[in-house]
Amino acid sequence: MKIKQALAGIAVAFALGAGAVAAEFGPAPADYEQAAVDYFGERLTDPRSARYDFTSEPYQVFADLRGYEGIPCWAVDVRVKARMPNGDLGGYVPYTVIFLDGEPIALEIDAVRMVRA
């Protein structure tokens, strides 16, 4: 009987721990596609001609950004095809957009380290 109680206690502890970790991330970003497009729009020479291919749904990551380590964030993978400086359309380039509190804050290339949760 004591073994069953101990196992039940361990299972409850894991469940509570998993709930605490999940709570750190907050809700997944709403309208993440439009938010990511707007985020790239601030960085591209001709954002109106860009094409976007979202290759993932939002997923949880821990990111190290500008002196902050292990920030619980959401990320989404997107491929972007944009106009190059010479006017030609380039090929699709893969990016990961990092979201905090529903807002895009960085690209994976801006992070020192990003680990999927």
Side-chain angles (χ1 to χ4, degrees), residues 15-27 60 62 72 74:
L16 291 175
V21 169
E24 292 178 15
F25 290 93
Q60 297 173 339
F62 290 100
W74 289 88

Side-chain angles (χ1 to χ4, degrees), residues 8 40 45-46 52 64 74 89 105 111:
F40 276 104
T45 304
D46 184 8
Y52 301 91
D64 294 347
W74 289 88
L89 266 178
I105 59 166

Side-chain angles (χ1 to χ4, degrees), residues 13-103:
F14 279 123
L16 291 175
V21 169
E24 292 178 15
F25 290 93
D31 199 19
Y32 64 89
E33 290 181 351
Q34 187 59 51
V37 168
D38 293 344
Y39 187 73
F40 276 104
E42 299 170 2
R43 288 156 180 74
L44 298 174
T45 304
D46 184 8
R48 291 180 291 141
S49 67
R51 304 289 178 255
Y52 301 91
D53 178 24
F54 288 86
T55 58
S56 78
E57 298 287 321
Y59 57 91
Q60 297 173 339
V61 296
F62 290 100
D64 294 347
L65 300 164
R66 295 189 192 148
Y68 296 97
E69 294 183 3
I71 301 170
C73 299
W74 289 88
V76 65
D77 298 327
V78 59
R79 296 179 335 134
V80 180
K81 184 175 188 176
R83 206 162 287 287
M84 297 170 46
N86 66 4
D88 293 340
L89 266 178
Y92 278 100
V93 178
Y95 293 97
T96 300
V97 182
I98 302 170
F99 290 82
L100 180 64
D101 296 329
E103 296 295 321

Side-chain angles (χ1 to χ4, degrees), residues 5-21:
Q5 289 174 335
L7 291 176
I10 290 171
V12 168
F14 279 123
L16 291 175
V21 169

